[in-house]
Amino acid sequence: MYRLFLFLALLILSAQTRAQSSSDVLEDALSGVVTVAVYQTAGVSVRPLGVRGRTVNPEQAYAKALSLAGAKSSGSGFVIELNGQKYVLTNAHVVESATDAAGSLAVFSINQQKYPVRVVGGDALYDFAVLAFTTPPGPELTALPLRSAPARIGERVYAIGNPQGEYPYTVTDGIISAKNRIRGGLTGKFGFLQTTATVIWGNSGGPLVDERGAVLGINSQIAFANGPNGSSVWLSQINFALETSVVLRLLNDVLTNDGLVRRAYLGLEFSETTRISDDDERPQATTTQPVPVLSGILPDSPGKEVLKGYVGQTVTAINGEGVRNVQEVLGILETVRPGSKVALTFGHGPSATTVSVKSSTLTPVELESVARYVLTSNRLSLTEAPDGIAIRFMQNNNTYELDRERRYQKTPAGFGQKQIASPSANTPRAVTYRVVAAGIQSERGSKLWRVSKLSYLGAVCRLMGLSGVVDMAVADPDNPDDVRFTRHMLSGEQDVIKACLWY
């Protein structure tokens, strides 16, 4: 009986010690978490897109309600320190709508001190952004360590953030339930931890910490499923955080490459196609080309000469690693550094052929090439003008336009043409529009980026490629308030989705 009593006493003491330890760690971590507030927006997105010693009283986090009066939107973030300088890490979607004007962005610390910040850079694909303080941060802002060791399945974790913009320093717990998830959204494709630590709107950009207070990931996305009546159902036990192994690579690039992530460039188009049935009640998707195909080569591509005979062939491996779809092609190419050789394998078995191509660096020039390649094939003419991108819709262009029900319908013949009276006859002339923004616009919502340069448009095309569409908001210079939304199906057909990757 005595031994049983002693065992139970030790078990209770151990549980209490762990609980106290977790509380200490989390209360220490609070001082590294901030609320990110956006005060000035441009209407559409602007970017292409150990336990530490306690230095502040954690009760400050809950002493009074945080005021975000005047803020257009908000999210979460956390402080890190590199080479003696503090930065804030967050999600790109939290800050990308902010203007570049002073005062557009600010963060609030644990004692509700407001600090102006600016965007250093980031990456829309991974939904990652780095902010710098424009005034020296106070001592209450302590840096959180980024953990280099990989997360383990079943490991206990905690999400910290400001859900709904109303509940700062909310902590939820859970476990790591999966790793290296592929997200099918418009941003963030690879390198995501799946966790049961609940997050919701406003948590975006906050840290996912382990039991020692080290950051394992940036809370980025939540999961939804289609309900029986077609509505979206929130899956509270499926949440995603960008893992720190990816964060560390992106962070190094952003801080040493003028705010941008370094990427290799091959000048190739990989694609796969899916046909959607015309059954409005129960539309069915049938993959007509279930494997990635080298479907095109861009002008001045590093691989133009050696690969010109392989267009239309199936890609079965890259650098010796098998690929089954375009998403997996993207996953491998994202790990390739500029100047490296890339081995592409076509076909299977004894008949398989491997061709090596040396990559170059993705620059604005290559992004311009992507924009022209993608959109001129749809009978569109693009010109970069001093006041933005000028676009003309040529005759017989394959364009869809958003109607009053917010559905895209095929535009009638002559879209983008005006009748010009002449002595002989009325002659159709292409109208020159200005591209206001690009991305995706639909009845379920929108994700648009301002595109004042062709390189920006190329960046959006690369981001949107896997969705199979590129939407643009265009305005007639004669009536600039009349903005029309046009859709460009990469397949050329409304019932066929051609998922494309230009890399």
Side-chain angles (χ1 to χ4, degrees):
M1 180 64 70
Y2 174 76
R3 290 182 178 180
L4 177 61
F5 173 79
L6 181 61
F7 172 76
L8 291 174
L10 290 173
L11 188 63
I12 293 171
L13 179 61
S14 176
Q16 289 176 339
T17 301
R18 286 198 302 272
Q20 291 170 354
S21 176
S22 296
S23 296
D24 289 343
V25 168
L26 291 170
E27 289 181 351
D28 282 339
L30 294 182
S31 58
V33 180
V34 297
T35 293
V36 182
V38 178
Y39 289 91
Q40 296 181 43
T41 64
V44 292
S45 302
V46 67
R47 299 288 165 186
L49 219 174
V51 179
R52 296 168 294 113
R54 183 167 298 171
T55 57
V56 293
N57 180 5
E59 296 304 319
Q60 292 181 77
Y62 314 105
K64 58 183 178 180
L66 174 64
S67 174
L68 293 177
K72 302 293 181 63
S73 62
S74 67
S76 303
F78 60 95
V79 179
I80 63 164
E81 186 170 346
L82 288 175
N83 301 321
Q85 185 170 349
K86 290 180 178 178
Y87 299 92
V88 172
L89 301 188
T90 186
N91 286 149
H93 77 259
V94 171
V95 298
E96 64 193 0
S97 64
T99 68
D100 293 327
S104 293
L105 279 173
V107 300
F108 290 86
S109 67
I110 190 171
N111 64 359
Q112 303 192 21
Q113 180 67 40
K114 181 180 178 181
Y115 295 96
V117 292
R118 62 177 177 85
V119 177
V120 177
D123 191 78
L125 180 68
Y126 292 101
D127 201 6
F128 169 79
V130 182
L131 312 180
F133 292 93
T134 58
T135 59
E140 81 278 11
L141 281 168
T142 59
L144 298 180
L146 296 175
R147 188 174 117 179
S148 57
R152 301 188 64 187
I153 299 298
E155 180 176 358
R156 181 158 294 281
V157 290
Y158 304 88
I160 311 174
N162 186 358
Q164 301 282 10
E166 298 181 14
Y167 308 101
Y169 299 97
T170 293
V171 179
T172 58
D173 69 333
I175 62 168
I176 297 295
S177 48
K179 298 195 294 184
N180 199 33
R181 287 300 199 200
I182 297 173
R183 299 298 296 131
L186 300 184
T187 59
K189 307 285 189 213
F190 290 88
F192 281 80
L193 299 171
Q194 181 180 322
T195 170
T196 60
T198 303
V199 297
I200 199 169
W201 300 277
N203 274 108
S204 295
L208 182 75
V209 302
D210 64 14
E211 291 190 292
R212 294 191 175 186
V215 178
L216 274 174
I218 302 176
N219 296 315
S220 301
Q221 297 185 29
I222 54 183
F224 291 90
N226 292 326
N229 60 353
S231 62
S232 294
V233 178
W234 173 39
L235 305 178
S236 61
Q237 289 295 293
I238 302 180
N239 308 277
F240 300 95
L242 182 66
E243 53 188 298
T244 50
S245 60
V246 177
V247 170
L248 288 167
R249 174 172 64 86
L250 300 179
L251 178 61
N252 178 70
D253 281 357
V254 166
L255 295 181
T256 61
N257 190 42
D258 195 27
L260 299 175
V261 172
R262 291 184 177 87
R263 282 191 167 90
Y265 179 73
L266 299 172
L268 305 176
E269 178 187 84
F270 303 90
S271 69
E272 60 186 63
T273 57
T274 302
R275 181 171 294 278
I276 307 297
S277 73
D278 56 3
D279 186 344
D280 292 334
E281 297 297 325
R282 297 181 62 84
Q284 299 293 320
T286 303
T287 305
T288 54
Q289 176 198 304
V291 288
V293 166
L294 177 64
S295 52
I297 300 178
L298 278 67
D300 302 320
S301 160
K304 183 177 180 180
E305 293 303 318
V306 296
L307 290 172
K308 60 184 178 181
Y310 292 90
V311 174
Q313 294 196 26
T314 299
V315 181
T316 56
I318 298 180
N319 289 341
E321 185 174 346
V323 291
R324 299 166 297 177
N325 50 55
V326 177
Q327 289 266 12
E328 292 183 353
V329 173
L330 172 61
I332 295 174
L333 293 181
E334 276 292 295
T335 66
V336 173
R337 305 304 283 174
S340 302
K341 284 191 175 182
V342 178
L344 303 175
T345 300
F346 301 90
H348 296 275
S351 61
T353 303
T354 298
V355 181
S356 292
V357 180
K358 185 177 182 180
S359 67
S360 61
T361 302
L362 181 67
T363 69
V365 174
E366 282 73 32
L367 289 173
E368 289 183 18
S369 179
V370 170
R372 295 185 188 279
Y373 177 86
V374 173
L375 295 172
T376 56
S377 62
N378 209 18
R379 295 191 58 78
L380 304 176
S381 173
L382 296 169
T383 305
E384 188 170 304
D387 58 345
I389 302 172
I391 185 169
R392 288 190 176 192
F393 297 83
M394 313 307 290
Q395 287 189 352
N396 302 318
N397 63 79
N398 185 31
T399 301
Y400 298 81
E401 187 176 15
L402 199 66
D403 63 16
R404 292 182 179 179
E405 283 71 39
R406 301 184 67 79
R407 296 180 180 179
Y408 281 96
Q409 304 293 338
K410 185 72 171 69
T411 53
F415 173 80
Q417 307 287 316
K418 282 187 178 179
Q419 297 295 325
I420 306 301
S422 66
S424 58
N426 287 338
T427 304
R429 178 178 66 85
V431 179
T432 300
Y433 289 85
R434 285 291 181 269
V435 180
V436 179
I440 191 166
Q441 175 81 8
S442 69
E443 64 273 13
R444 292 191 175 184
S446 65
K447 186 69 174 179
L448 297 169
W449 287 264
R450 283 186 289 145
V451 285
S452 57
K453 298 181 179 180
L454 279 173
S455 60
Y456 295 175
L457 182 55
V460 174
C461 287
R462 293 184 80 244
L463 186 62
M464 298 303 306
L466 293 182
S467 72
V469 302
V470 177
D471 293 346
M472 289 192 294
V474 299
D476 187 336
D478 295 334
N479 188 10
D481 293 331
D482 181 17
V483 176
R484 308 173 75 168
F485 286 93
T486 62
R487 168 158 292 182
H488 309 281
M489 304 293 299
L490 302 180
S491 66
E493 303 177 53
Q494 195 168 18
D495 60 346
V496 175
I497 300 298
K498 180 182 180 183
C500 292
L501 170 64
W502 300 285
Y503 214 104

